[in-house]
Amino acid sequence: MSVEDSTAAQGDLEAPHPTQALDDTVHQRVRLGVLTVAREADRVDFGFLKKQLAVTDGNLSRHLKVLEESGMITVEKGYAGRRPRT
């Protein structure tokens, strides 16, 4: 490797890799899954998401909170009869 090759190689390292432009809020497996499922339906039930994405209640809740705080989704809580619904 010559000095010129070395300089060129260092220049390549300075350019950011395209993956650096990915939004960590979206490009995370569970969050991307939530957004994909939500895109196909107007409303999505918490239980349905939990089953489809194979995650725990706490894990899904945390991911939904991150997406809600970023403004990507709206979470509505209410009741269906006496049962709470998210």
Side-chain angles (χ1 to χ4, degrees):
M1 176 185 282
S2 70
V3 173
E4 291 176 63
D5 292 340
S6 175
T7 304
Q10 288 175 353
D12 289 343
L13 293 176
E14 291 176 15
H17 190 274
T19 59
Q20 297 298 316
L22 294 175
D23 183 349
D24 289 336
T25 303
V26 174
H27 294 97
Q28 194 286 337
R29 185 187 68 82
V30 174
R31 293 182 204 142
L32 185 58
V34 168
L35 293 173
T36 302
V37 171
R39 175 72 174 104
E40 296 296 318
D42 291 333
R43 300 174 83 115
V44 183
D45 184 70
F46 185 92
F48 178 79
L49 281 174
K50 179 183 164 188
K51 183 176 180 182
Q52 292 299 308
L53 301 173
V55 294
T56 64
D57 287 355
N59 193 304
L60 181 56
S61 291
R62 180 66 187 127
H63 287 295
L64 291 176
K65 184 173 181 88
V66 169
L67 290 170
E68 183 179 33
E69 288 172 350
S70 71
M72 294 183 179
I73 65 168
T74 302
V75 175
E76 298 174 5
K77 296 186 179 195
Y79 288 88
R82 299 176 92 181
R83 297 189 63 185
R85 292 284 197 182
T86 301

